[in-house]
Amino acid sequence: MVAVLVLSAALVLSAAAVALVTLRARRRTSCLRNAFRCKIAVAERPGGAAERWPRQTCYGLWVHDVLVLFSGVARSHVQPYAVHFAEGAVETSPMQVKGLGPWPVMLAMQLDDGRHALLAADRSAGALVAGPFLAALMPTRKPVT
């Protein structure tokens, strides 16, 4: 009976420790300076169109011209995307992207390997989505007067 209690206590403490480490890792990633919640759809082959949004949101961070995405339960899966240039401007999207709220902002990009990608982020991300591509913050349409 004592062995069962000791093993149960050890199991509960281990589960609590794992939960604490996971939560701490998630919080550290989301609190990184200039990190923003996003999703990215990448074309399967060069010249193709970006087709599908992933199910889970992740956190993105620009490091020079590389978009680094942190995903997974503990945000331990890191995926870098080397971006060649931004195609157009950061614009508000009329279509909804699940997990990013209404009217997300989007940026079309071409990666260094020739594939096209579409980055969607919550509206609160604002200028962080453009990263090093400051020209993408310029509006593409003339304002109506």
Side-chain angles (χ1 to χ4, degrees):
M1 182 67 179
V2 173
V4 171
L5 289 175
V6 170
L7 286 175
S8 298
L11 181 64
V12 167
L13 288 174
S14 297
V18 167
L20 184 66
V21 168
T22 301
L23 289 173
R24 186 170 183 222
R26 289 177 66 88
R27 182 163 161 40
R28 287 182 121 189
T29 304
S30 64
C31 290
L32 285 172
R33 187 169 184 227
N34 296 333
F36 56 95
R37 242 171 20 106
C38 63
K39 287 187 176 187
I40 189 167
V42 181
E44 302 246 346
R45 62 189 185 290
E51 299 169 4
R52 300 182 62 199
W53 295 108
R55 294 178 63 165
Q56 299 291 326
T57 59
C58 58
Y59 275 84
L61 179 69
W62 285 101
V63 180
H64 298 288
D65 61 347
V66 177
L67 178 64
V68 181
L69 297 180
F70 300 92
S71 60
V73 174
R75 307 247 197 284
S76 59
H77 184 256
V78 178
Q79 182 70 38
Y81 291 98
V83 179
H84 188 60
F85 60 87
E87 298 175 334
V90 176
E91 295 183 350
T92 304
S93 172
M95 69 181 202
Q96 198 169 19
V97 179
K98 191 173 182 178
L100 296 177
W103 307 100
V105 292
M106 294 196 178
L107 176 65
M109 306 175 291
Q110 183 173 1
L111 304 179
D112 280 350
D113 60 5
R115 297 182 296 164
H116 292 279
L118 191 59
L119 176 67
D122 195 347
R123 287 182 73 172
S124 64
L128 293 176
V129 175
F133 305 103
L134 297 179
L137 294 175
M138 300 296 292
T140 56
R141 297 181 199 87
K142 286 186 175 182
V144 178
T145 54

